[in-house]
Amino acid sequence: MDQTSLKVLDFLSTYVTEHKKGLIDEVLSRRTRHLTFVLEDIYQSQNASAVVRTCDCFGIQDLHVIENKHSFELNPRVVHGASKWVNVHHYQEAENNTKACFDTLRKKGYKIMATSPDKGCLSVHDVDISEPIALVFGTEITGISEFTKSQADGLVTIPMYGFSESLNISVSAAICANILIEKLFRSEINWTLTEDEKNEIKLNWYRTIVSRSEILEKQFLKSLNHS
Ligand SMILES: C[S@@+](CC[C@H](N)C(=O)[O-])C[C@H]1O[C@@H](n2cnc3c(N)ncnc32)[C@H](O)[C@@H]1O
């Protein structure tokens, strides 16, 4: 983070109560980029919203949204403001947005694991979390695309024992988040964010919670340029 952004962070922090600052620091201490979620063409807003909320609740900072056939929409009654705390990255411009997303994630060092109700896949309990993982969830009716199936580094399943063929996508995301985050917390892996990452996220959160932050920031930057 550059010096000016650090000064803005410092400035905006004067408008945030000590209680809120403490809460933000506590939440940031449990945020991770070691695990990230990917949604491929999810078209029901309540499902997309429930996943955003799950990411926030379990400390998954980034959600990648692939929009090949369907656009991503949030339902305010389900998301409950959680989208303010999670970085949502959209892939909607390329000819194959799934490929664009996977290329980006691989460059960042992620292994791509796709989820499926198929019995033959690796159980989510047995996933190796030593490397950063991007977990892909498929669309409501047809699941993950053939492209994802062929390009993923592995397929993961939540074992099921009933008559139904699959879980709801948002339920699957919550179960996987719970299992993998607990596994991460119990491991020796360095899954926490760097100080720089924490500051960048904190600045965005301060901008969200401080009223009229945009105007205040403009005035502050003007005063910096004059001094
Ligand atoms: C309703 S399911 C899609 C069902 C589709 N017929 C299929 O075979 O994938 C939607 C998404 O939820 C996730 N899902 C559902 N059940 C799962 C399970 N048992 N294990 C892992 N993921 C599951 C997957 O991401 C799936 O693409």
Side-chain angles (χ1 to χ4, degrees):
M1 186 180 234
D2 62 55
Q3 284 306 311
T4 310
S5 303
L6 274 174
K7 282 181 188 161
V8 173
L9 178 66
D10 231 31
F11 165 73
L12 287 181
S13 79
T14 60
Y15 293 88
V16 181
T17 63
E18 288 308 313
H19 173 74
K20 260 203 183 130
K21 277 191 256 187
L23 183 62
I24 284 176
D25 285 341
E26 195 186 319
V27 169
L28 278 173
S29 73
R30 292 260 171 176
R31 278 313 213 229
T32 192
R33 288 200 151 123
H34 194 86
L35 174 65
T36 192
F37 278 4
V38 180
L39 298 183
E40 188 182 36
D41 277 319
I42 302 302
Y43 61 86
Q44 291 183 0
S45 64
Q46 70 270 29
N47 285 334
S49 307
V51 177
V52 172
R53 199 160 144 191
T54 290
C55 286
D56 174 43
C57 289
F58 287 105
I60 298 168
Q61 185 57 35
D62 299 292
L63 175 66
H64 300 263
V65 174
I66 296 167
E67 293 163 275
N68 283 318
K69 296 187 203 127
H70 305 285
S71 51
F72 175 81
E73 269 175 45
L74 291 174
N75 178 332
R77 280 183 298 174
V78 181
V79 78
H80 270 250
S83 52
K84 286 188 284 196
W85 317 120
V86 173
N87 294 6
V88 180
H89 308 266
H90 295 267
Y91 301 84
Q92 49 194 186
E93 306 284 310
E95 203 175 309
N96 181 344
N97 293 305
T98 306
K99 181 178 181 312
C101 174
F102 290 2
D103 287 349
T104 304
L105 290 170
R106 283 208 166 98
K107 269 190 208 139
K108 290 185 175 167
Y110 286 98
K111 196 159 93 177
I112 312 281
M113 301 295 282
T115 57
S116 162
D118 288 352
K119 293 217 178 332
C121 310
L122 176 73
S123 164
V124 63
H125 295 279
D126 300 327
V127 170
D128 174 10
I129 53 159
S130 56
E131 284 176 63
I133 292 177
L135 204 56
V136 189
F137 296 89
T139 187
E140 283 87 347
I141 298 187
T142 49
I144 49 168
S145 65
E146 285 306 317
F147 180 86
T148 292
K149 226 176 251 180
S150 65
Q151 296 301 309
D153 299 303
L155 295 178
V156 175
T157 196
I158 302 161
M160 300 182 296
Y161 312 100
F163 293 106
S164 306
E165 284 177 3
S166 65
L167 292 155
N168 166 279
I169 147 64
S170 67
V171 172
S172 313
I175 293 172
C176 290
N178 181 228
I179 293 170
L180 297 176
I181 284 291
E182 284 301 319
K183 213 168 164 171
L184 213 51
F185 287 177
R186 275 188 266 107
S187 76
E188 303 281 299
I189 296 163
N190 182 9
W191 51 264
T192 53
L193 300 175
T194 62
E195 282 313 303
D196 213 43
E197 287 176 310
K198 283 184 189 168
N199 281 337
E200 260 173 38
I201 295 165
K202 201 187 282 189
L203 178 57
N204 285 336
W205 290 355
Y206 282 1
R207 282 173 174 152
T208 305
I209 61 176
V210 172
S211 58
R212 302 186 310 119
S213 66
E214 212 175 308
I215 298 169
L216 290 170
E217 196 176 323
K218 259 190 200 151
Q219 287 168 347
F220 174 71
L221 288 172
K222 223 176 180 177
S223 72
L224 265 190
N225 288 338
H226 287 307
S227 62

